[in-house]
Amino acid sequence: MADYTKKETICVQSGWKPTNGQPRVLPIIQSTTYKYDSSEQMGRLFDLEENGYFYTRLQNPTNDFVAQKICELEGGVAAMLTSSGQAATYYSIFNICEAGDHVVMSSTVYGGSFNLITCTMKKMGIECTVVDPDWSEEELNKAFCENTKCVFAETIANPALVVLDIEKFARVAHAHQVPLIVDNTFATPINCNPFQFGADIVTHSTTKYMDGHAMAVGGAIVDSGNFDWDAYGEKFAGLTTPDESYHGVTYTKKFGKGAYITKATVQLMRDLGSIQSPQNAFLLNVGLETLPLRMERHCSNAQAVAEFLEAHEKVAWVNYPGLKSNKYYELAQKYMPKGSCGVISFGLKGGRSAAEKMMDKLQLAAIVTHVADARTCVLHPASHTHRQMTDEQLVEAGVAPDLIRFSVGIEHIDDIIADLSQALENV
Ligand code: PLP
């Protein structure tokens, strides 16, 4: 049970809670291994009979304190850090899927997730059906097969900024007896808690707003504890029947609501090893302390930039869920009444070449392969993050060839708008 309910307080106070005489700041436990006085106790740790650390590839105390904070922010029961958002996406799915299984995925997910799930996981024998997040429940139902094991989507899609109807996706997933996994990177737990609307697992690229300073690549997975794996025991045999690679442990029997994260830790982390470095977890923790303040500023700045662009004569279109004219305005109000995120996309009347020219003229906003940073940054997804996609896939993913992704930072709004203004004048 968390000590605090207010997210601002959780961000500062949760996770590492020093007792008398301990360091005020979360210590970086820069140790790969841990010492024990008896070999019998070490044996019990290996058997999962006792809680404790034995090797940082599986678990590290610094990481666990930060995971605990993220867990409380999302309202989950268990959480883990991973080395990257990509690792979080992969583990979240692979923890319940194997060769011969099938995933339903929203077409608008981040390009890296799209590639991972439709290409790399396909090579591992996991098939995927791509669905339009705006489809009706009836249309979505048709995507499911006997061997479907989960649904994967993003709260706010990067960079299409499609707002997911989380309740609709949860209903459809649950009707087919599978969990809904939601990548909540862009909204962050400050603006949206997908568990409140029926999502079962949440993932994050902590590299984005959570770190917020472009310092540390990382990821996180949080389990709501709400999905009843045992109710569909045959479907989720990896969780509900003995794991021969782990002394015959049955995760749901032994760990109850902690089953999913325990399996991902002791089996996937053990075998695949995508642990976050304690140093990065420390930096992530520093970022988390100011997340609510930064999200507030990101959102108010982004709203002002979106309104400025919408009124500009050289701008052909603007996509931001905070604009009343936006297709997803109502959904954003429902799921994220405090604000959505600081990312905007737009196109210029001069098309792709004008977009590239304008970006080169920006001075404050830097061209970087990054998003959700304290510093304003800009990217042309068709030439950068999504360049592996065909034109058809780009359209499906909601990425127009002229789309400029503008990640509004926390600088003073006047300076951000002045920079955009001069760049637009020059095209
Ligand atoms: N999910 C989303 C929504 C992202 O934007 C990204 C990266 O941009 C990822 C996952 C992958 O995260 P990482 O770069 O930390 O591996």
Side-chain angles (χ1 to χ4, degrees):
M1 184 67 189
D3 288 344
Y4 305 105
T5 54
K6 302 287 185 205
K7 290 179 184 167
E8 292 79 357
T9 313
I10 294 173
C11 278
V12 178
Q13 297 286 349
S14 289
W16 168 249
K17 291 180 187 150
T19 55
N20 192 37
Q22 285 191 311
R24 182 72 191 94
V25 174
L26 170 70
I28 304 171
I29 308 293
Q30 195 70 45
S31 181
T32 59
T33 192
Y34 307 83
K35 174 188 171 290
Y36 288 93
D37 289 339
S38 79
S39 82
E40 193 221 336
Q41 188 180 12
M42 182 73 104
R44 282 203 303 277
L45 293 171
F46 270 95
D47 277 349
L48 304 177
E49 291 300 337
E50 198 176 301
N51 268 341
Y53 295 93
F54 49 97
Y55 193 53
T56 283
R57 168 150 48 76
L58 283 89
Q59 271 185 295
N60 171 283
T62 306
N63 292 15
D64 284 353
F65 287 120
V66 183
Q68 175 59 31
K69 184 179 279 189
I70 295 172
C71 187
E72 287 179 32
L73 282 173
E74 284 291 8
V77 296
M80 67 196 283
L81 299 188
T82 56
S83 57
S84 65
Q86 283 299 102
T89 304
Y90 175 48
Y91 280 32
S92 72
I93 296 171
F94 196 59
N95 202 30
I96 45 174
C97 282
E98 58 186 38
D101 288 342
H102 174 256
V103 176
V104 172
M105 180 189 77
S106 164
S107 60
T108 55
V109 296
Y110 163 63
S113 306
F114 193 97
N115 216 38
L116 165 68
I117 298 165
T118 61
C119 299
T120 301
M121 292 183 79
K122 188 181 164 77
K123 288 182 199 157
M124 302 168 79
I126 297 168
E127 294 292 330
C128 173
T129 298
V130 177
V131 297
D132 183 329
D134 291 339
W135 277 354
S136 67
E137 288 185 41
E138 214 172 35
E139 288 169 307
L140 290 171
N141 279 333
K142 292 187 190 139
F144 287 78
C145 315
E146 273 296 299
N147 56 344
T148 304
K149 292 292 170 71
C150 66
V151 178
F152 183 80
E154 278 169 28
T155 320
I156 307 173
N158 173 15
L161 303 176
V162 168
V163 176
L164 186 74
D165 189 339
I166 305 171
E167 287 177 333
K168 176 179 78 178
F169 265 66
R171 268 195 308 276
V172 173
H174 296 162
H176 294 274
Q177 306 172 344
V178 300
L180 171 61
I181 305 175
V182 170
D183 178 336
N184 197 30
T185 298
F186 267 29
T188 79
I190 303 305
N191 286 344
C192 182
N193 283 133
F195 294 158
Q196 288 177 357
F197 306 104
D200 302 286
I201 312 285
V202 156
T203 61
H204 283 281
S205 164
T206 60
T207 321
K208 307 298 166 343
Y209 288 119
M210 283 190 173
D211 162 20
H213 300 81
M215 293 185 302
V217 173
I221 309 173
V222 190
D223 182 9
S224 67
N226 292 335
F227 195 82
D228 188 353
W229 310 105
D230 278 322
Y232 319 108
E234 248 175 68
K235 209 176 232 190
F236 300 106
L239 283 160
T240 62
T241 60
D243 176 2
E244 293 314 330
S245 84
Y246 224 113
H247 323 295
V249 69
T250 299
Y251 295 102
T252 48
K253 222 185 247 170
K254 194 164 173 77
F255 299 102
K257 285 188 183 295
Y260 176 89
I261 292 292
T262 303
K263 175 175 180 285
T265 302
V266 304
Q267 190 192 71
L268 297 188
M269 209 47 106
R270 176 197 63 186
D271 294 350
L272 302 170
S274 320
I275 194 79
Q276 187 167 133
S277 82
Q279 179 79 38
N280 278 8
F282 173 85
L283 294 171
L284 167 58
N285 190 51
V286 175
L288 284 169
E289 290 183 358
T290 56
L291 184 64
L293 291 172
R294 288 186 287 106
M295 287 315 289
E296 205 177 306
R297 175 68 78 87
H298 278 297
C299 292
S300 64
N301 276 357
Q303 186 69 30
V305 167
E307 287 169 15
F308 163 79
L309 290 171
E310 199 172 38
H312 200 286
E313 55 178 9
K314 290 190 180 170
V315 175
W317 57 270
V318 185
N319 184 12
Y320 184 63
L323 288 175
K324 287 214 168 94
S325 57
N326 191 271
K327 184 177 172 189
Y328 299 102
Y329 178 77
E330 298 297 336
L331 272 185
Q333 290 299 307
K334 174 178 171 181
Y335 292 122
M336 305 155 219
K338 287 196 291 191
S340 50
C341 65
V343 184
I344 289 173
S345 62
F346 65 100
L348 299 182
K349 286 182 182 155
R352 185 172 180 157
S353 66
E356 283 166 8
K357 215 161 148 196
M358 195 278 293
M359 283 172 57
D360 289 348
K361 297 267 191 276
L362 289 165
Q363 287 165 6
L364 178 146
I367 300 174
V368 296
T369 307
H370 191 48
V371 71
D373 183 16
R375 288 149 288 220
T376 297
C377 51
V378 65
L379 191 84
H380 184 231
S383 328
H384 307 137
T385 47
H386 287 60
R387 64 183 299 133
Q388 79 282 4
M389 285 191 175
T390 63
D391 279 0
E392 210 177 41
Q393 285 172 332
L394 279 175
V395 172
E396 258 185 40
V399 184
D402 65 338
L403 183 151
I404 300 166
R405 187 181 71 182
F406 198 75
S407 174
V408 184
I410 58 173
E411 302 92 342
H412 197 285
I413 186 61
D414 293 352
D415 290 327
I416 300 171
I417 289 188
D419 190 34
L420 270 172
S421 214
Q422 63 79 22
L424 285 166
E425 253 168 49
N426 282 306
V427 287

